[in-house]
Amino acid sequence: MHFFTLSFALLPLTTRATNVVLSNDDGWAEINIRTFYNTLTAAGDSVVLSAPAENESGTGSSDAPATPLTEPCEYNSCPTGSPAEGNNASNTRLNYVNSYPVTSMRYGIQTLSPKFFGGAPDIAVAGFNVGANLGSTVLISGTVGAATEASKEGIPAIAFSGTTGSQTGYTAPVQTYMTVYADLSTNVTQSLVASGKPYLPSDIWLNVNFPAVNCSTCSSPADFKFVLSRINSATSSTAKDVNTCGSTRLPTETTVVDTAGCYASISVGNAVAKTDANATEQAVVLEKLRSILSCLP
């Protein structure tokens, strides 16, 4: 089995920072996305945050033009009357969009990325979400909506979600679960990038879910193991999955997260339908992330 503490050692040295657009559905001032931003940046990535001005959880792939603020941004992070898009005055890489996650991700890719990176980002990530996005929940998740929008824009994308946590403003103290999820999310992101381009097949995105963090178990990144999974339960007519861990049927992400032992799920999804990718596409991801993947007991 491969553990987090070993995985970074497997990553090759890169000649330049990876350009990342980061979004979510919980809002630009929620502490999880700010913790993830700080962790990615500290790990050497060049990151631009582009997320909704307000909590837009559960809005799926809704999309609408951004409009000026008629009330303050969440946690009073910008005042009433602020423009439709704006940023933190002391760090212009922290941006809000007064609309949905899909709209925010597109703004990050089409407007902010050329400004900060001189072109398209290398990869897009969303989250880590407050609460898991397992199974059919992906259809209504704004975090998933942001990731699938990036994929449809031609940018490799990953959605991250964690079981532990509640809506919290970015000025609150950072808790253990936040640093654990941020470290794990950064590990998956950099492991995929280290696998080389193209990072993912066209119209394919990854859905990553973390189990609960508490003081007695799953309290450190080293406690976690990643398992390749599927989003939805298979039926008798469902085509075979990639052959791994001695089976041609992957466990569902719900099964993985509910298994005792700190297992996190990585599912391979089709961005257009928000459903499971086929075995050929799963096999690409299996090969790319083999160094960090384990099997359920």
Side-chain angles (χ1 to χ4, degrees), residues 175-200:
Q175 300 179 46
T176 297
Y177 85 85
M178 301 170 190
T179 58
V180 169
Y181 288 164
D183 286 349
L184 292 169
S185 300
T186 299
N187 182 26
V188 174
T189 302
Q190 294 200 330
S191 294
L192 184 62
V193 169
S195 73
K197 293 184 176 181
Y199 301 139
L200 292 171

Side-chain angles (χ1 to χ4, degrees), residues 124 126 133-135 137-139 141 143-152 155-161 192 199-209 228-229 231-232 253 266-277 281-282 285:
N133 281 308
L134 303 163
T137 306
V138 302
L139 299 175
S141 166
T143 292
V144 170
T148 54
E149 173 62 22
S151 181
K152 288 184 281 189
I155 307 301
I158 313 173
F160 294 99
S161 303
L192 184 62
Y199 301 139
L200 292 171
S202 297
D203 291 329
I204 295 301
W205 62 286
L206 302 183
N207 192 43
V208 181
N209 280 276
L228 194 66
S229 57
I231 299 168
N232 300 306
E253 49 196 17
I266 302 180
S267 295
V268 186
N270 177 284
V272 177
K274 294 185 182 178
T275 190
D276 289 287
E281 293 157 337
Q282 293 169 346
V285 174

Side-chain angles (χ1 to χ4, degrees), residues 1-293:
M1 293 184 178
H2 301 275
F3 296 88
F4 174 89
T5 50
L6 298 179
S7 58
F8 272 123
L10 298 172
L11 302 182
L13 295 175
T14 56
T15 56
R16 66 170 180 83
T18 302
N19 295 325
V20 183
V21 170
L22 168 63
S23 192
N24 73 349
D25 70 4
D26 296 311
W28 82 306
E30 209 280 330
I31 195 168
N32 286 358
I33 194 171
R34 296 297 181 92
T35 305
F36 192 12
Y37 172 88
N38 291 335
T39 303
L40 282 168
T41 301
D45 293 319
S46 181
V47 188
V48 169
L49 186 156
S50 180
E54 303 285 352
N55 176 14
E56 297 290 348
S57 297
T59 55
S61 289
S62 298
D63 188 13
T67 57
L69 275 295
T70 58
E71 59 184 23
C73 292
E74 64 176 359
Y75 309 114
N76 292 311
S77 53
C78 68
T80 300
S82 295
E85 297 101 1
N87 56 56
N88 184 303
S90 61
N91 183 356
T92 57
R93 286 178 176 251
L94 303 177
N95 292 263
Y96 72 79
V97 177
N98 190 33
S99 187
Y100 297 108
V102 162
T103 320
S104 303
M105 179 62 86
R106 186 184 306 114
Y107 181 76
I109 292 170
Q110 295 185 357
T111 302
L112 297 175
S113 185
K115 174 182 176 181
F116 287 97
F117 307 146
D122 297 308
I123 194 168
V125 293
F128 46 97
N129 189 69
V130 177
N133 281 308
L134 303 163
S136 60
T137 306
V138 302
L139 299 175
I140 62 171
S141 166
T143 292
V144 170
T148 54
E149 173 62 22
S151 181
K152 288 184 281 189
E153 294 261 336
I155 307 301
I158 313 173
F160 294 99
S161 303
T163 304
T164 299
S166 59
Q167 287 282 336
T168 307
Y170 72 98
T171 58
V174 175
Q175 300 179 46
T176 297
Y177 85 85
M178 301 170 190
T179 58
V180 169
Y181 288 164
D183 286 349
L184 292 169
S185 300
T186 299
N187 182 26
V188 174
T189 302
Q190 294 200 330
S191 294
L192 184 62
V193 169
S195 73
K197 293 184 176 181
Y199 301 139
L200 292 171
S202 297
D203 291 329
I204 295 301
W205 62 286
L206 302 183
N207 192 43
V208 181
N209 280 276
F210 304 120
V213 171
N214 58 62
C215 59
S216 58
T217 61
C218 308
S219 59
S220 165
D223 296 331
F224 287 75
K225 294 170 280 290
F226 296 105
V227 175
L228 194 66
S229 57
R230 57 182 295 110
I231 299 168
N232 300 306
S233 297
T235 66
S236 58
S237 61
T238 303
K240 291 181 179 180
D241 294 320
V242 63
N243 190 342
T244 185
C245 296
S247 175
T248 56
R249 180 62 68 217
L250 296 174
T252 65
E253 49 196 17
T254 300
T255 297
V256 173
V257 171
D258 287 348
T259 297
C262 312
Y263 291 95
S265 63
I266 302 180
S267 295
V268 186
N270 177 284
V272 177
K274 294 185 182 178
T275 190
D276 289 287
N278 62 41
T280 300
E281 293 157 337
Q282 293 169 346
V284 173
V285 174
L286 173 62
E287 186 60 32
K288 284 179 166 289
L289 296 182
R290 189 179 296 277
S291 66
I292 64 169
L293 291 174

